[in-house]
Amino acid sequence: MLNDEHSTVSTPRGSSSKQSSSDRIETLLSEYKFRIEAIFDYSPARDTFRKYLKKVCLNEEPFMFYEMVENYQKTRLDKNRLELAADIINQFIVVNSKHELNMSMAIRNEILKQHAQILEKNQNLPNLELLTCPSDLFANAQDVIFTELKQDNFPRFVRSKEFKKFIMKEFKKNETIFEMLGDKKDDDVVSIDPHSMYLKEHNETTADCPLIDTTSFYVTPKDYELVKEIISTLSDPMKWNVVSEKSGSKTLVSTKAFYFNEKEGAYPLTCSTGMYTGQHKQFFHVIFSPAFEKNMKRIFKTRFQLEHLKIDASKGIEFPNTVFWGELNAPIIMKKRELVVARTIIPDQYDPETGQFNRYVMLQKPTNHPECPKKDSTIRCSLYTAIIAEKKTADTMRYYIFDTVDFKGSVPKFVINKASKLFAAGINKMLRSMIKHKIDETQLLSCNGTLEIMKEHENYLREKLTKEMEHNQADSNEEPKGELSTSSLKQSVEDSSTHESQIPPNEESNIPENNFEQ
Amino acid sequence: MGNIVVSPHDKEGQHHMMATPTSNNPNGGSAATAKNKSEITVLLLGAGESGKSTLFKQVQFFHGVGITHDQERIELIEIVRLNVLENAKNLVAATQHLNIPIEQPENRETAKLIINSLNTNDLEDPSWSKRLYSLWKDAGIQKAYENREKFQLYDSTEYLFENLDRICSDKYVPTVVDVIRTRTKTIGITDMKFDVGDGKQLRLVDVGGQRNERRKWIHFFNTVDAVVFLTSLSEFDLNLYEDNGYWRVKESLRVFNEVVNNALFYKVPFVLLFNKRDLFEKKIATKSFSKYFSGFNEAEEKNPVACIEYMTKLFLNEITEHPLDTVSVKTLSAIDHDNSKQVFEEVKQFIMTQQHRE
């Protein structure tokens, strides 16, 4: 359902330009899975593969062997086969032979043993016509050699420039060459449920990581630090796998797993990220738009706010939070699923010149609330989401959407699949499709208290920052850094000092435009 | 080499002496010609299953040219499943050779199917995940696995069986770790290039390690700027894939001797990597190391550092021609991403500094 909306979105680069034929081949190449069997059956392709093996891999022996065995098997007369067998053995099987194959001792010895038996049997025959030589003598070795070609050299071949060149040449003559040599990859396989895919793997490689600040029921600066740390790893291919990539946006899944608390399981994190032409703040306003709310109703059956927490340093509440309860839409056969989350919006990277914040972060994490205790009749899920939108230039922005969800209990696979598509990737699609429409600021919805929190936080910071700024200008000479102790202000100062090597905090225009740049 | 006792089941194997290079600059002119070259060629050498390709794949990954996209990794599904089947076949065959009965009747049934008719397409079925896992956990198969030094088995066996539910799912896409852990015997030569700064490119060449493959190495000897030689620490109780009666350590030492003392590599920076440190440490906890090396003090055999020191001495003793100040020795766990990254970075630095000295 979301796909339709997405397809109407124009790419940031503009979708008009015609694809060159080379691009088209490139696309087709990535869409097909080639079969070595098909390559072997089509002689021009087979020759190309053979040349590649000889020139690039220095590995022509398996091919020569394979063809000689084919020939051997086609040979009708036992006497002729017997001669060929000796020839093959001397060229490929015997240790130190001219084209010795890379094979295990077990297979080599099996052939030599069988061959010796054949020779013995054929000795002392009264008549040469009684000679026998079984046509399957090399069948096992041929299978093994073929499998090894398939595993090692073939994947390299289909990605080589030699293969691409061949395909381009063939494609001009015959547009069905792709169907001939391979199968189209199933699109569905690509958008696989990332959860089950990575669930086990993290145990092998890396320890699980905390995703949230478990010491607090509310979203805290520590939660914000965690998400920033995660963003800084996004360009590391060992930490993130790209699930899909199109029109300027990317969906990735972490190879590491993250937990909400150490006792329960850990899950990989999904991330959608991309650039967009538009204002970062408008991107955020989409969340409060009636259209978005309509979409959220597909995910949540009901939602209501439980509490609004104002900033109160004395109670350790450094960000304003809204806590709300929601029940998920789920098939009737399943147990009811509900969740309680604490959510905040952090305006960051204040630009005193424009009076605007250049980055907004929405963070929500699972929490508990006395008004909604866990019940036996329902299952409490855990949902984590972080949406970051930041200004890049005057009219472009970059966004990141992270999330992971733990449905708890046994959930049918199709539900998880649907859900994981709905979340990060889904929200990404929704936001991207909706941002095109002009959003009427007077029509913004509260979204369970989120809008109020954003305004509260903005006002709080603006006031604080202006005060600090005035204060700094008053005694601009010896300003000890430690005095800027307001957590959120410290936030931006730390950002600027770590990334921009020690800029005095009172120099106005030096708040970095973008800390997340990789 | 006097302090090595040949493994109990060792017999003299056929030696594939590498052809003497027909180069016209036998005094190791390759490093000299490398001066001012914009491409630095580094050869990964070592006997079979020493981890050359694993390190190669890791380097590909951290230079962003590895198979990081799902689209590409889909192509490897069959290869991972083939690995599972080969492992299962090898284990079942081993129970027969070692005369260990598979205990459960239903597992015997599974074993039969594996030997006779199972193919990778069949594995795309969660019920096979259960059957194969049950076979893996069978007391007979486990007993064979404990005796795996007696036959040929990949290092990734346990990993693959423990991940069956994923691998047999119809939604399966191999992960990066799966790609790293999958054993594919390299046949022939493969290479990759990446920038190393200063307008220079590093060309890393990976090769097959079995005896017949070594004849192909020579093609690169003339143009080499550095050699990284890998040897597996955990092979001390194993025999060769291509020759079941030949001790792997002996083979490694022999190949090392031939390579390091080759006239073409004189003055070429040379790195010796003791790989599979992770497996090695696990192995010496349960197996006797000193049983294989008479010159080694038995009291120290549970101490990995002492064992590695001993191995280092064995290898360095082989060096007769190469200047020792251009040789660097390190340990590695190539399946570990972070460790590979760190070690390879050190290797790169070593090579670059040595180049500079030229």
Side-chain angles (χ1 to χ4, degrees):
Chain A
M1 48 179 167
L2 294 165
N3 280 327
D4 321 344
E5 289 162 0
H6 183 64
S7 58
T8 61
V9 181
S10 65
T11 69
R13 283 183 229 109
S15 52
S16 57
S17 73
K18 249 204 255 161
Q19 265 194 332
S20 73
S21 77
S22 158
D23 281 350
R24 187 164 165 222
I25 300 267
E26 206 73 68
T27 314
L28 282 166
L29 276 171
S30 72
E31 283 173 359
Y32 278 80
K33 180 184 186 299
F34 297 97
R35 298 212 167 272
I36 187 170
E37 293 82 0
I39 302 275
F40 263 75
D41 285 346
Y42 181 54
S43 68
R46 187 172 173 154
D47 286 345
T48 311
F49 186 34
R50 184 185 180 132
K51 273 182 208 146
Y52 173 81
L53 282 175
K54 186 177 177 178
K55 274 197 182 152
V56 181
C57 299
L58 302 178
N59 187 33
E60 205 194 0
E61 302 93 338
F63 218 106
M64 293 159 66
F65 171 73
Y66 193 90
E67 291 190 339
M68 259 184 103
V69 172
E70 266 184 340
N71 195 15
Y72 170 82
Q73 284 162 342
K74 272 189 277 178
T75 304
R76 296 271 166 226
L77 196 66
D78 278 84
K79 181 174 161 286
N80 291 345
R81 267 209 306 276
L82 196 63
E83 279 168 17
L84 264 175
D87 203 15
I88 292 172
I89 285 172
N90 286 330
Q91 278 195 54
F92 298 96
I93 310 293
V94 173
V95 170
N96 270 333
S97 55
K98 193 173 167 205
H99 302 297
E100 184 187 346
L101 292 170
N102 188 340
M103 55 170 45
S104 73
M105 189 163 94
I107 294 174
R108 188 194 316 122
N109 285 355
E110 185 57 38
I111 293 175
L112 294 177
K113 196 175 110 195
Q114 272 196 46
H115 188 237
Q117 282 168 355
I118 293 165
L119 291 179
E120 201 183 335
K121 228 168 113 190
N122 289 331
Q123 260 175 10
N124 309 321
L125 283 178
N127 188 338
L128 277 181
E129 277 168 33
L130 294 173
L131 271 178
T132 53
C133 187
S135 59
D136 64 352
L137 176 61
F138 301 105
N140 187 25
Q142 197 190 21
D143 273 357
V144 171
I145 295 291
F146 189 74
T147 306
E148 284 174 358
L149 273 184
K150 185 175 180 171
Q151 290 188 64
D152 183 52
N153 303 91
F154 187 70
R156 286 192 249 146
F157 170 62
V158 293
R159 276 192 290 276
S160 70
K161 55 178 192 294
E162 286 82 2
F163 182 65
K164 195 180 153 192
K165 215 171 126 191
F166 163 76
I167 278 279
M168 282 178 96
K169 207 174 90 194
E170 288 285 319
F171 190 69
K172 275 177 203 153
K173 293 184 280 186
N174 170 13
E175 295 225 342
T176 62
I177 185 76
F178 283 95
E179 281 78 28
M180 229 171 102
L181 300 180
D183 308 318
K184 199 158 171 130
K185 287 176 193 164
D186 188 352
D187 274 346
D188 243 25
V189 185
V190 182
S191 52
I192 180 182
D193 158 36
H195 289 184
S196 60
M197 184 170 139
Y198 293 101
L199 212 54
K200 284 191 84 174
E201 183 158 356
H202 63 269
N203 292 331
E204 272 299 314
T205 49
T206 40
D208 303 338
C209 302
L211 180 63
I212 58 170
D213 175 5
T214 49
T215 61
S216 172
F217 287 119
Y218 320 120
V219 183
T220 65
K222 194 178 160 197
D223 287 311
Y224 188 28
E225 283 308 313
L226 285 169
V227 69
K228 281 200 289 189
E229 208 181 300
I230 290 165
I231 292 172
S232 68
T233 66
L234 268 181
S235 59
D236 186 341
M238 288 302 287
K239 294 198 172 131
W240 292 90
N241 289 309
V242 179
V243 176
S244 71
E245 198 169 1
K246 49 183 145 190
S247 56
S249 78
K250 233 196 234 185
T251 302
L252 308 101
V253 176
S254 67
T255 53
K256 258 188 190 170
F258 296 87
Y259 56 77
F260 300 125
N261 67 59
E262 280 173 277
K263 276 169 244 138
E264 288 166 30
Y267 294 85
L269 200 58
T270 316
C271 171
S272 285
T273 176
M275 296 277 289
Y276 201 83
T277 318
Q279 302 288 332
H280 63 295
K281 194 159 180 191
Q282 223 209 345
F283 187 86
F284 247 80
H285 279 163
V286 174
I287 296 168
F288 309 113
S289 68
F292 190 79
E293 185 63 28
K294 222 170 101 190
N295 271 306
M296 290 312 277
K297 284 205 173 120
R298 293 178 183 163
I299 301 174
F300 291 102
K301 205 166 165 185
T302 42
R303 263 186 310 164
F304 58 79
Q305 188 179 16
L306 294 166
E307 196 174 353
H308 176 177
L309 294 143
K310 288 189 182 301
I311 297 177
D312 187 344
S314 65
K315 286 186 195 156
I317 305 172
E318 299 187 69
F319 294 151
N321 271 255
T322 172
V323 181
F324 66 90
W325 172 88
E327 189 192 328
L328 294 170
N329 261 327
I332 296 160
I333 41 158
M334 282 171 51
K335 246 183 164 181
K336 258 194 197 169
R337 277 180 163 72
E338 41 116 49
L339 44 79
V340 178
V341 295
R343 175 190 272 184
T344 192
I345 289 204
I346 307 154
D348 198 1
Q349 296 182 356
Y350 183 65
D351 182 348
E353 276 192 355
T354 59
Q356 297 294 321
F357 293 91
N358 286 341
R359 171 160 79 202
Y360 283 88
V361 180
M362 191 189 97
L363 254 173
Q364 67 186 24
K365 71 178 193 185
T367 187
N368 292 313
H369 199 272
E371 273 178 45
C372 282
K374 284 181 191 169
K375 281 181 272 181
D376 287 342
S377 59
T378 55
I379 295 175
R380 176 68 57 89
C381 315
S382 299
L383 170 69
Y384 171 91
T385 316
I387 302 180
I388 298 112
E390 62 186 20
K391 186 180 169 180
K392 286 283 294 175
T393 63
D395 61 351
T396 56
M397 48 99 35
R398 173 174 276 284
Y399 65 86
Y400 304 86
I401 302 163
F402 290 90
D403 77 16
T404 188
V405 58
D406 178 0
F407 285 103
K408 304 282 167 65
S410 59
V411 181
K413 215 160 198 170
F414 73 93
V415 179
I416 296 182
N417 277 341
K418 207 172 147 190
S420 63
K421 272 183 205 162
L422 262 179
F423 285 93
I427 291 173
N428 176 20
K429 281 177 190 168
M430 282 197 274
L431 289 173
R432 284 179 70 93
S433 66
M434 282 174 214
I435 196 170
K436 298 189 302 181
H437 306 295
K438 196 84 196 130
I439 289 154
D440 181 354
E441 290 204 21
T442 61
Q443 293 288 307
L444 295 185
L445 302 173
S446 156
C447 200
N448 302 108
T450 316
L451 184 61
E452 288 79 2
I453 273 178
M454 176 159 124
K455 291 199 166 142
E456 178 191 341
H457 210 169
E458 276 180 335
N459 292 338
Y460 172 82
L461 286 177
R462 214 170 261 143
E463 208 174 290
K464 201 103 219 163
L465 287 162
T466 321
K467 240 187 236 168
E468 302 282 2
M469 220 70 88
E470 282 163 2
H471 182 238
N472 287 351
Q473 268 155 10
D475 48 8
S476 57
N477 286 339
E478 283 166 89
E479 175 64 50
K481 251 174 132 188
E483 272 197 19
L484 305 168
S485 54
T486 319
S487 64
S488 35
L489 175 62
K490 212 167 146 194
Q491 198 66 61
S492 7
V493 173
E494 271 170 10
D495 283 349
S496 53
S497 56
T498 47
H499 292 265
E500 305 266 340
S501 65
Q502 302 303 315
I503 298 154
N506 53 347
E507 230 179 271
E508 282 189 348
S509 57
N510 267 324
I511 292 170
E513 200 177 63
N514 185 353
N515 290 338
F516 288 164
E517 209 37 58
Q518 293 142 44
Chain B
M1 253 178 68
N3 48 354
I4 302 182
V5 157
V6 165
S7 152
H9 36 247
D10 178 39
K11 63 171 196 264
E12 222 20 68
Q14 300 90 340
H15 285 220
H16 282 233
M17 294 304 289
M18 276 174 292
T20 316
T22 52
S23 160
N24 45 16
N25 55 344
N27 291 323
S30 62
T33 54
K35 225 178 174 181
N36 300 325
K37 245 173 42 171
S38 62
E39 192 175 283
I40 305 165
T41 302
V42 178
L43 269 186
L44 290 177
L45 300 179
E49 288 176 72
S50 54
K52 298 177 291 296
S53 299
T54 307
L55 181 62
F56 186 82
K57 282 188 271 185
Q58 293 279 21
V59 176
Q60 281 187 319
F61 277 121
F62 39 80
H63 285 92
V65 293
I67 302 168
T68 49
H69 293 268
D70 273 19
Q71 287 280 0
E72 290 175 296
R73 276 187 274 119
I74 283 175
E75 290 165 20
L76 302 179
I77 295 173
E78 203 180 347
I79 291 171
V80 177
R81 290 184 179 150
L82 263 171
N83 254 249
V84 172
L85 275 187
E86 279 168 37
N87 274 303
K89 271 186 191 164
N90 288 339
L91 279 168
V92 171
T95 57
Q96 291 165 357
H97 289 142
L98 301 173
N99 264 324
I100 303 168
I102 295 173
E103 278 193 358
Q104 301 303 319
E106 71 268 22
N107 291 338
R108 282 201 289 273
E109 210 41 51
T110 306
K112 238 189 243 163
L113 284 170
I114 285 170
I115 295 294
N116 296 326
S117 60
L118 202 63
N119 68 46
T120 52
N121 290 335
D122 298 329
L123 286 192
E124 192 170 301
D125 178 351
S127 71
W128 268 105
S129 152
K130 288 199 188 79
R131 292 186 76 161
L132 285 172
Y133 192 74
S134 157
L135 177 72
W136 164 242
K137 286 292 174 196
D138 189 280
I141 293 286
Q142 281 297 314
K143 198 171 169 204
Y145 184 65
E146 278 161 29
N147 287 289
R148 59 189 174 277
E149 76 277 3
K150 297 190 177 123
F151 55 100
Q152 298 292 336
L153 197 68
Y154 305 152
D155 293 331
S156 56
T157 307
E158 191 176 343
Y159 172 82
L160 290 170
F161 279 108
E162 292 297 335
N163 283 280
L164 280 173
D165 52 347
R166 224 163 27 84
I167 294 169
C168 297
S169 148
D170 58 344
K171 295 280 183 203
Y172 176 58
V173 175
T175 62
V176 172
V177 177
D178 293 345
V179 176
I180 296 288
R181 297 298 289 261
T182 307
R183 160 77 183 153
T184 311
K185 186 172 73 182
T186 307
I187 331 165
I189 306 278
T190 176
D191 68 348
M192 68 176 284
K193 287 175 192 174
F194 52 89
D195 292 326
V196 285
D198 263 1
K200 287 192 177 179
Q201 275 209 320
L202 197 146
R203 178 186 187 210
L204 192 64
V205 183
D206 182 26
V207 300
Q210 289 73 26
R211 286 175 176 170
N212 77 310
E213 297 294 325
R214 289 179 215 144
R215 295 189 278 197
K216 302 168 187 173
W217 295 3
I218 195 86
H219 290 266
F220 287 84
F221 282 12
N222 268 319
T223 53
V224 162
D225 302 307
V227 176
V228 176
F229 189 95
L230 284 95
T231 179
S232 163
L233 280 168
S234 69
E235 67 184 12
F236 66 82
D237 61 344
L238 302 177
N239 280 353
L240 289 181
Y241 164 87
E242 63 270 40
D243 183 351
N244 247 328
Y246 204 87
W247 189 29
R248 289 196 183 204
V249 174
K250 199 178 167 197
E251 179 86 343
S252 269
L253 280 165
R254 198 167 57 75
V255 180
F256 178 71
N257 183 316
E258 288 179 18
V259 175
V260 76
N261 296 320
N262 190 306
L264 281 178
F265 296 151
Y266 187 73
K267 279 190 173 173
V268 166
F270 205 100
V271 182
L272 172 60
L273 290 183
F274 286 105
N275 189 22
K276 305 196 191 179
R277 191 184 170 132
D278 48 334
L279 264 182
F280 172 72
E281 289 186 3
K282 267 189 218 160
K283 195 177 255 185
I284 57 166
T286 56
K287 297 225 156 135
S288 169
F289 178 80
S290 63
K291 187 177 138 194
Y292 297 92
F293 304 93
S294 72
F296 186 76
N297 178 8
E298 197 184 331
E300 288 242 73
E301 70 171 356
K302 299 295 170 209
N303 174 2
V305 178
C307 296
I308 292 169
E309 247 171 48
Y310 179 79
M311 295 294 289
T312 309
K313 257 189 231 155
L314 277 191
F315 275 82
L316 293 184
N317 274 345
E318 295 288 327
I319 305 178
T320 53
E321 309 297 325
H322 204 96
L324 282 174
D325 64 339
T326 55
V327 179
S328 165
V329 183
K330 294 176 195 305
T331 62
L332 170 73
S333 297
I335 55 161
D336 178 332
H337 165 70
D338 292 335
N339 183 252
S340 293
K341 199 168 184 171
Q342 187 202 332
V343 171
F344 190 75
E345 203 45 50
E346 288 168 15
V347 167
K348 214 164 77 185
Q349 285 311 321
F350 173 75
I351 291 169
M352 305 282 271
T353 340
Q354 291 287 331
Q355 287 259 312
H356 237 74
R357 271 179 27 167
E358 275 298 309

